[in-house]
Amino acid sequence: MTNGKTDDAELPECQQDRAIEDFHRALGMITGKWKGEILWQLVQRKHRFGELLRAIPGVTQHMLTTQLRDLEANGLVKRTAFPEIPPRVEYEITEAARALRPVYDELFRWSQAHFSTLHPPSTPDSDESAAPLTHP
Amino acid sequence: MTNGKTDDAELPECQQDRAIEDFHRALGMITGKWKGEILWQLVQRKHRFGELLRAIPGVTQHMLTTQLRDLEANGLVKRTAFPEIPPRVEYEITEAARALRPVYDELFRWSQAHFSTLHPPSTPDSDESAAPLTHP
DNA sequence: TGACCTAGTATCAAAAACATGACTAATGGA
DNA sequence: TCCATTAGTCATGTTTTTGATACTAGGTCA
């Protein structure tokens, strides 16, 4: 790891700053208490507002609206409002958000590897790595 | 994209919840205003506290301590205190944190692809994609 | 006429994250 | 004796994020 075969280790300093800045901005786009759940729902199929509200337990109307607007502003979801009464609004994931897939995959893969050797956060369970997770 | 060749699309529901939970936990570990900068410094070489404080402009003692403790608690940095006067404490990145590398790489790659087609956040610059970034 | 539906807003409260400045401990050197 | 040094802690304040509740619009249906 010290033979410097990584890409950004050889970047000039001004571009390192740039890299950190971009990284932070991208990170800000996917952090948010409900964004993960929202994208997870939308990656499977298109949802309308009320469906998301019911599909994500614990989220409030207000937060769902806020997070969706945020995702929309960052080009991660597409909002389509139909001029009907009662109103109908559909949310779907964009290609840009689908391109985030490798990020999610890598982070998930890492979490699997890391959490299996680390003590759990608060669940006093016995076995973590091999249990088939019979839901309680 | 709809032919379902992705891994977790076929996971049973209980493990989907698990996946989201793990994902969120992992995300929480790397989100924090200064964690990116801290890890960026530590990935290059081991630092002592004061060095980090000077290397990261804008961070306060308090926040640096807080973020470092958080990273340490999650097994991402290793803290070594030497029984000397004046005190000397060295921080270095762990293997677990080094394994995060693909996550960072993918997110950075995504940010490059995504931000080049999106309007910038607040910098009223002319060209974003091809400029060699002569630092201002 | 009035209750009902959906996808929101508006307002305020609570909690979490972040920032600021003062303070501490132990020791070597002036 | 007293000051400088390092890596913090402590108390407090501000900002950001999240939550709870009530309210709106406009057409349909009874």
Side-chain angles (χ1 to χ4, degrees):
Chain A
M1 268 299 174
T2 46
N3 53 0
K5 221 49 209 137
T6 55
D7 314 314
D8 2 68
E10 358 185 305
L11 284 177
E13 195 172 338
C14 57
Q15 291 191 26
Q16 286 187 11
D17 293 353
R18 169 95 187 164
I20 292 179
E21 188 186 328
D22 282 351
F23 177 79
H24 233 115
R25 190 143 81 98
L27 206 54
M29 285 187 180
I30 61 175
T31 56
K33 189 164 179 186
W34 306 101
K35 288 186 189 170
E37 280 85 344
I38 291 171
L39 291 179
W40 179 254
Q41 295 296 327
L42 295 186
V43 86
Q44 298 171 82
R45 58 181 161 81
K46 162 193 315 186
H47 282 67
R48 48 189 299 192
F49 185 82
E51 284 178 320
L52 281 174
L53 200 58
R54 283 183 294 273
I56 303 174
V59 73
T60 62
Q61 262 187 353
H62 183 56
M63 280 315 294
L64 186 54
T65 303
T66 303
Q67 304 271 291
L68 280 171
R69 287 290 143 87
D70 206 12
L71 289 169
E72 189 196 4
N74 291 135
L76 298 185
V77 308
K78 177 158 156 280
R79 176 181 181 274
T80 312
F82 297 87
E84 303 173 3
I85 294 293
R88 177 163 62 105
V89 178
E90 285 183 350
Y91 291 94
E92 59 191 310
I93 206 169
T94 63
E95 272 313 305
R98 281 197 196 278
L100 273 172
R101 186 79 208 220
V103 179
Y104 281 67
D105 283 346
E106 287 293 346
L107 191 54
F108 179 68
R109 183 209 306 266
W110 180 84
S111 75
Q112 295 295 290
H114 188 62
F115 293 153
S116 61
T117 65
L118 196 68
H119 43 83
S122 58
T123 52
D125 246 336
S126 51
D127 199 345
E128 280 260 329
S129 55
L133 286 171
T134 54
H135 36 200
Chain B
M1 271 297 174
T2 45
N3 53 0
K5 220 48 210 139
T6 55
D7 315 313
D8 3 65
E10 358 184 307
L11 285 177
E13 195 172 338
C14 57
Q15 290 191 27
Q16 286 187 10
D17 293 355
R18 168 95 186 166
I20 292 179
E21 188 186 327
D22 283 350
F23 177 79
H24 232 115
R25 190 143 82 98
L27 206 54
M29 286 188 180
I30 61 174
T31 56
K33 188 165 180 187
W34 306 101
K35 287 186 189 170
E37 280 86 344
I38 292 172
L39 291 178
W40 179 254
Q41 296 296 326
L42 295 186
V43 87
Q44 297 172 80
R45 57 180 161 80
K46 166 193 312 186
H47 283 66
R48 48 189 299 193
F49 186 83
E51 284 178 320
L52 282 175
L53 200 58
R54 285 184 292 273
I56 303 175
V59 74
T60 62
Q61 262 186 353
H62 183 57
M63 280 316 293
L64 185 55
T65 303
T66 303
Q67 304 270 293
L68 280 170
R69 287 290 143 88
D70 205 13
L71 290 168
E72 188 196 6
N74 291 134
L76 299 185
V77 308
K78 176 158 157 281
R79 177 182 182 272
T80 311
F82 297 87
E84 304 173 2
I85 292 296
R88 176 162 62 105
V89 178
E90 286 183 349
Y91 291 94
E92 58 190 311
I93 205 169
T94 63
E95 271 313 305
R98 282 196 196 279
L100 272 172
R101 184 82 208 219
V103 179
Y104 281 67
D105 283 346
E106 287 293 346
L107 191 53
F108 179 68
R109 184 210 304 267
W110 181 85
S111 75
Q112 295 296 289
H114 188 63
F115 292 154
S116 60
T117 64
L118 197 68
H119 43 85
S122 58
T123 52
D125 248 337
S126 50
D127 197 346
E128 282 260 327
S129 55
L133 285 171
T134 53
H135 36 199

